[in-house]
Amino acid sequence: QKEVEQNSGPLSVPEGAIASLNCTYSDRGSQSFFWYRQYSGKSPELIMSIYSNGDKEDGRFTAQLNKASQYVSLLIRDSQPSDSATYLCAVPTSGGSYIPTFGRGTSLIVHP
Amino acid sequence: DVKVTQSSRYLVKRTGEKVFLECVQDMDHENMFWYRQDPGLGLRLIYFSYDVKMKEKGDIPEGYSVSREKKERFSLILESASTNQTSMYLCASSFRGGITGELFFGEGSRLTVL
């Protein structure tokens, strides 16, 4: 069973701070990595993808990937209350259908 | 914009009833998925389909079946609903040749089985 692990949280940060969300995965053959955001009562939406080691920045969001350590993270700079949501890490498994396996998600609370 | 539409947002059914959940996407995606989401358990894949009339079991297919007669439509069927199938059901779609982790989700169907 290919696994994707996330700390369930909640992670609570003050407005304006950097929120750091982490994800580890077990499949060494995985090549692509995704972060989804899910607001309460809503469906997940894709916010970031990363394929190469290092950092990828998109506005206030930065995804970081370290394949050797099998670790991917999402940094949210200048966190806003509107960032309060559950963040899901998704990793397509290698060696077949490449269906994404989702972590259980980390709940983020940004308080004013 | 990609649109994935699930036919029912909220359903209440009784134990033993047959339940149909329908999903339609309008972007000509080859892949379609059914997940269920439960608190503390995250998203779990029930079935997926990569083409018309093709289907593959996911992690938790027991008690479910699916149908894909047309490319845009993927149906999830609970032959005899049970209380442990009370859950949020999410349909998703993606391009086959594209980035396989880039899924577009419907708004979800919350099923309660009494």
Side-chain angles (χ1 to χ4, degrees), chain A residues 19 24 51 54 62 77 83 105:
Chain A
T24 59
Y51 313 103
T62 299
R77 291 183 301 281
D83 295 324

Side-chain angles (χ1 to χ4, degrees), chain B residues 1-83:
Chain B
D1 280 352
V2 173
K3 189 161 186 183
V4 180
T5 304
Q6 293 183 229
S7 56
S8 304
R9 291 294 307 278
Y10 301 95
L11 302 94
V12 179
K13 298 292 182 180
R14 297 206 174 271
T15 301
E17 280 192 82
K18 191 169 186 175
V19 181
F20 292 89
L21 299 178
E22 301 223 311
C23 175
V24 177
Q25 50 93 4
D26 67 359
M27 280 300 290
D28 204 33
H29 285 169
E30 293 86 1
N31 298 332
M32 296 189 75
F33 308 83
W34 275 106
Y35 288 89
R36 65 177 281 178
Q37 187 173 33
D38 301 286
L41 297 178
L43 280 164
R44 293 181 292 167
L45 182 64
I46 305 171
Y47 268 96
F48 70 96
S49 169
Y50 52 89
D51 205 345
V52 175
K53 297 191 184 296
M54 305 303 290
K55 60 185 178 184
E56 295 285 343
K57 293 180 179 179
D59 299 319
I60 52 164
E62 295 79 17
Y64 303 95
S65 62
V66 290
S67 173
R68 189 150 181 217
E69 297 296 318
K70 293 185 177 182
K71 189 175 185 179
E72 67 272 17
R73 188 179 298 269
F74 192 35
S75 301
L76 179 69
I77 304 152
L78 288 67
E79 293 289 343
S80 178
S82 63
T83 55

